[in-house]
Amino acid sequence: MTTALEGLRVLELGSGAAAGIAGMVLAENGADVVKIEPPQGDRDRGRPGFAVWHRGKKSAVLDLADASDRDRFFELARVADGVIEAFRPSTAVRLGVDYESLHRLNDQLVYAAITGFGESGQWRDIPGYEQIVAAKSGRMTTYDGVRPGPVFTPVPIASYGAGMLAAVGLMAGIWVRPRLGQGQRVHTSLLHALSVYDMTSGHGNRTNMPPEPGKVYGIMRVPFMTAPTKDGRFIQMCSRQAHHYRRWLSELGLEGLLDDPELPNAPDLWPSEERLADVIKSIRNGMEQRTAEEWVETFSARDIGGDPFLAPQEFLDHPQCTENGRRQEVVDPEMGPTVQIGPLGLYSNTPSVVGPPAPRLGEHTGEVLAGWPSTTSASPSASGNDPASGLPLADITILDVGYFYACPFAATLLAEAGARVIKVEPPTGDPGRRNWTTDYVKSQVGKESIVLDLKTPEGLEILYRLVDRADVFLHNFRPGTPERLGIDAETVMARNPGLLYVYASCFGSQGPWAHKAGFHSSPNAIAGAGVVESGDQNPPRNRTYGDPTAALATAAAIMAGVLACRSTGRGQKLETTMLTATAYAVAEWGIQHSGPEAHAVDFGQFGYHAYQRLYETANGWLVLDVHRDRERQALGEVLGVELPEQPSPELATQLTRAFSADSAEAWESRLLAAGVPAAQADRGDFLHNMLNEIHMRESGVAVEAEQDGLGSYWRAAPTMQFSSAPTPLAPTLPLGWATMEILGELGIDHEEITRLHDAGVTKPIGHGLPT
């Protein structure tokens, strides 16, 4: 069997998890990825995460500041298909390895640039390190911690997201290259990636709207509570859906709350803080009557949303990892035998391969320099042609039959790259519309909504006719449901053998929890994010990024899948899981090995150590994210002391005293000017900053748009920018708005459309935004 990206050659420039993850996705799907490293090596060498992010790649040492080495790099770039570049905005130009320079050498090159803060705006040149981006975006103030003030946020969700988006963008550029006749430039940033994780205010601003008068919100504190159990472990509840909530309270013996006339809007809205606190106390007391294992068994049997907290390394031994083919043994040259998270997606015809371990520094320099230039680029040059323009995926049609967020938002990300996404919904709409009201517009941007009752023969037949014209079929129904509906892989692919059939699951199709309900918080608990985020010896915490993390991974896996279908001429099945996506995000802590463990956040949630830590100043909080010797030396020069190479608790105490002499704002200005990665960490919260901070608007992370029912408002911008065409800012239109148009495309006349509407098979336009 071949792999999806076999024959694709990619050069990776720069340090950090974002570039590493982008290259890893390409490498495990067959691309020949060469990591170009300076003579001193990547700054992340020695971290456990390096062994995961760079597996399957080659390492070549080239000093791009040296003219002769730069010429050697140019020879590689002449025959490469893609470049992943993660320098600060001015560095690539200074070194002469920017897109314009390389395009002149090879007009077939697809160049994916990753920045920290975007390519314009007042923060453009600030070091784009994970913790600096987290601080400036307000992410550190979003979560409750063990003490007042911002908390350190270890899981690199911004880098993970930017890596996935860069992989999507690069593969989209490869997809469209035969049509355009040349490559192009793609850009994303850690800030753009963070906008994906804002599931509400990014497109609806619900968080700025007060609840009903006299009411308080209880959504995260009740149906998504982190509940202690009899054996001292914790369960992450995920019982927002009405039937899950009722079953849960019934199992706790609290059925009376369900019919309490004072609680008609529970679990979302409550009459007072006092009443909410009383209910929380009763529920927590009930949860403490059984062990975590007993609750998980009960919840699985009764279809109640609730999951145990596991450490990242524990997940690798869990049946939902092992039985779904996501546990990978790799013998690393530095760490010895390891167990790592396995492939991002499972493909039926072009399986991913986790190849050799992460390379030693410069291990393949001679091989790459001798071998690559002897062959020619995969696509013919189009020099002299007048290339076409347009978004890369304009000739791809995706049928989105999924519910809620993780699955549908994967299609939204591909719609940003130009794909036509037809959202197939039941007459009542995707349940996410009812749960999230106007906020649901975020996962519907750029889609065409058609209403089909798939439980009717006519509705199913219309879907089949759409399948005949589609390239991708996407759903997230639990095993058994597609078969009952007649949309299982065998049935659908019999209609269209060239189709990529995607099951974007939570738990996977195998294992004891394959039929279990999966929710937004499930992977954060099971794959280990809640443990990593909590701090040493603290109870685990709910960190709500499971859905966006899965959407990013599924979008990347789909791109590899469609490229494989085109190259092989055959369709295939693809399965992704929310658990695997989150395990990729926490891979730094998830690798099993016998060497030093990854840094853990301390008990106070200040940080890892003195050089990567939050400090309380005379006014506000400051975060340091120092990685390099020159950054440490610059910090010492500002403070007027010589700082040791190795951090220590005593050094943290010394720095705490030093930073208490001035405000966080003043320290940020002084340190950044000296080249020290530092940022004020408590200047606004995430939900406000991502839309309202001046830089977000100057850099294009936030854009002004129009939406029926909302008027003019600020929303998260498209996450990827393509040089071939801008992404239009399409609004989300009502349930079923495209029904008549799509039926007309299928040749169904007006009289038959009217009959289908009257029979309830379809639904005409005019039913407004989600209700």
Side-chain angles (χ1 to χ4, degrees), residues 203-220:
H203 286 75
N205 285 326
R206 184 187 68 184
T207 54
N208 294 329
M209 301 177 186
E212 297 176 20
K215 305 288 186 182
V216 295
Y217 285 129
I219 298 170
M220 298 309 299

Side-chain angles (χ1 to χ4, degrees), residues 627-659:
H627 293 260
R628 305 176 188 273
D629 286 343
R630 67 172 181 268
E631 296 164 350
R632 172 181 53 81
Q633 292 162 1
L635 174 61
E637 291 172 4
V638 172
L639 298 177
V641 297
E642 185 173 343
L643 297 176
E645 290 185 20
Q646 296 302 317
S648 66
E650 293 75 21
L651 177 60
T653 301
Q654 178 186 351
L655 294 179
T656 298
R657 286 196 299 267
F659 290 134

Side-chain angles (χ1 to χ4, degrees), residues 400-403 422-435 437-438 440-441 444-445 447-453 707-708 731-742 757 760-771:
D400 170 10
V401 191
Y403 282 173
I422 299 176
K423 172 73 174 175
V424 181
E425 303 188 65
T428 53
D430 182 330
R433 289 184 182 267
R434 302 193 295 276
N435 280 1
T437 62
T438 55
Y440 190 63
V441 298
Q444 290 288 75
V445 170
K447 298 183 182 181
E448 303 171 31
S449 172
I450 178 174
V451 167
L452 293 176
D453 185 350
Q707 175 68 51
D708 288 346
T732 292
L733 296 177
L735 171 65
W737 75 271
T739 300
M740 295 185 71
E741 178 183 339
I742 294 172
H757 288 342
V761 175
T762 64
K763 191 173 187 177
I765 191 171
H767 289 260
L769 278 171
T771 57

Side-chain angles (χ1 to χ4, degrees), residues 25-207:
V25 170
L26 301 176
E28 73 179 24
N29 284 295
D32 186 1
V33 180
V34 177
K35 181 172 179 57
I36 304 297
E37 299 190 68
Q40 67 272 25
D42 188 297
R43 71 163 195 257
D44 289 330
R45 282 191 171 273
R47 291 177 58 176
F50 188 93
V52 183
W53 302 328
H54 299 291
R55 65 193 187 192
K57 302 177 186 177
K58 297 173 182 175
S59 170
V61 169
L62 292 175
D63 183 356
L64 297 180
D66 178 82
S68 57
D69 269 7
R70 188 164 54 250
D71 286 343
R72 295 184 182 96
F73 175 79
F74 288 158
E75 290 305 307
L76 299 177
R78 290 181 195 277
V79 295
D81 296 284
V83 168
I84 300 167
E85 177 257 292
F87 294 138
R88 292 194 205 179
S90 59
T91 301
V93 174
R94 175 172 55 81
L95 293 173
V97 296
D98 56 294
Y99 169 69
E100 287 74 15
S101 298
L102 298 186
H103 179 76
R104 288 192 290 270
L105 299 174
N106 176 4
D107 65 2
Q108 299 298 298
L109 194 69
V110 180
Y111 189 105
I114 305 170
T115 61
F117 288 94
E119 297 184 300
S120 58
Q122 57 188 323
W123 298 347
R124 172 183 181 270
D125 294 316
I126 292 176
Y129 295 170
E130 182 75 27
Q131 299 305 327
I132 303 302
V133 173
K136 299 292 283 186
S137 68
R139 183 179 171 228
M140 289 182 168
T141 65
T142 301
Y143 302 128
D144 293 332
V146 298
R147 54 167 175 77
V151 299
F152 196 83
T153 50
V155 179
I157 62 171
S159 297
Y160 165 89
M164 290 295 171
L165 290 170
V168 169
L170 192 148
M171 288 187 283
I174 295 296
W175 170 270
V176 75
R177 188 169 61 177
R179 175 163 58 87
L180 292 185
Q182 64 175 11
Q184 64 179 294
R185 187 177 190 271
V186 186
H187 168 258
T188 191
S189 76
L190 272 66
L191 268 185
H192 282 89
L194 273 183
S195 72
V196 173
Y197 297 91
D198 180 4
M199 295 169 60
T200 55
S201 71
H203 286 75
N205 285 326
R206 184 187 68 184
T207 54

Side-chain angles (χ1 to χ4, degrees), residues 81 88 239 262 279 339 489 561 764:
D81 296 284
R88 292 194 205 179
S239 289
E262 294 183 357
V279 171
V339 177

